[in-house]
Amino acid sequence: MLLLVSCTTEKEMAARYIEKAYGLSGSEAASVYEEAVAEASDSTVYYNLAYSYLEAGEYNMAIRTADEALNLFPGMLRFMYLRAYALRESGRYYSYEKALGEILAYDPGNDDIRGMLLEHYIKTGRKKDAAALAKEAVLWTPENGDVLMALGYESDFFRAIAPSAGSPDIAEEKGRDWSEAPFIYSPLRILRGERLLSESSAAAQQDS
């Protein structure tokens, strides 16, 4: 009974802070959620704090917050995605690569992450690694241009049928249009390259 009351109280405290931060973004929102995590060990509060750090460009703080959250809530993919995004945006590409590998180890059927890792290998000239990963990825996404191009590194057949780099066929859909605000609780969309919420809002204001 006492445990139930305690959990309910933390949820209520988290809800109050979330309401308090409504309409804020970046550093302003982070300052509210910093108070919140001191009182409520709630996954949504931790995610909103890490996300606010991303909006403020404080990538190291976002990574640290995601790490803390994963210690409290092991296996939550939203924090793994967010951490990978922050590592990539801060230029820590080796750590970004490791983060994608950790997600795949936890969630082997995640073709989105497999595709991002393949794209990383191609962009960094890791042809051997790209070809090895493509042999696995082709089973699930045989039409993917990156997969065909990576297989072409070791196969004349796939080299002949793969689209050339930069061709329209190899450009993947990046989700919804830039003018649409991304869902705050979909960090995988952010990792694919969609704008953060604050950037999308600014773009919408410029268009209006």
Side-chain angles (χ1 to χ4, degrees), residues 24-27 29-30 33 43-59 61-63 65-66 69 78-79 81-83 85-86 176 181-191 194-201:
L24 302 178
S25 63
S27 298
Y33 291 121
S43 62
T44 301
V45 166
Y46 270 93
Y47 180 78
N48 286 5
L49 175 59
Y51 185 93
S52 298
Y53 284 140
L54 287 184
E55 289 192 310
E58 297 186 38
Y59 299 118
M61 293 298 292
I63 293 164
T65 303
R78 63 166 62 175
F79 292 112
Y81 293 151
L82 192 147
R83 182 175 180 275
Y85 175 86
R176 301 170 311 136
F183 298 118
I184 190 168
Y185 292 120
S186 185
L188 182 55
R189 290 180 181 273
I190 301 168
L191 192 50
E194 293 193 14
R195 296 180 180 182
L196 295 176
L197 189 61
S198 58
E199 294 171 334
S200 181
S201 299

Side-chain angles (χ1 to χ4, degrees), residues 75-92:
M76 290 196 73
L77 283 172
R78 63 166 62 175
F79 292 112
M80 294 183 185
Y81 293 151
L82 192 147
R83 182 175 180 275
Y85 175 86
L87 287 167
R88 184 183 67 192
E89 294 304 296
S90 60
R92 296 166 63 179

Side-chain angles (χ1 to χ4, degrees), residues 31-133:
S31 65
V32 175
Y33 291 121
E34 284 167 357
E35 296 177 33
V37 296
E39 294 189 37
S41 296
D42 180 82
S43 62
T44 301
V45 166
Y46 270 93
Y47 180 78
N48 286 5
L49 175 59
Y51 185 93
S52 298
Y53 284 140
L54 287 184
E55 289 192 310
E58 297 186 38
Y59 299 118
N60 288 335
M61 293 298 292
I63 293 164
R64 190 173 78 177
T65 303
D67 284 336
E68 290 176 2
L70 285 168
N71 284 330
L72 292 170
F73 316 103
M76 290 196 73
L77 283 172
R78 63 166 62 175
F79 292 112
M80 294 183 185
Y81 293 151
L82 192 147
R83 182 175 180 275
Y85 175 86
L87 287 167
R88 184 183 67 192
E89 294 304 296
S90 60
R92 296 166 63 179
Y93 297 114
Y94 177 68
S95 296
Y96 166 66
E97 177 184 321
K98 285 183 63 179
L100 294 183
E102 289 168 4
I103 295 172
L104 278 179
Y106 181 78
D107 184 19
N110 196 322
D111 293 330
D112 288 299
I113 296 298
R114 185 174 286 104
M116 290 175 197
L117 183 56
L118 178 60
E119 183 181 15
H120 169 75
Y121 284 151
I122 292 173
K123 285 183 175 179
T124 54
R126 304 268 293 282
K127 294 185 176 182
K128 185 175 181 180
D129 291 325
L133 185 61

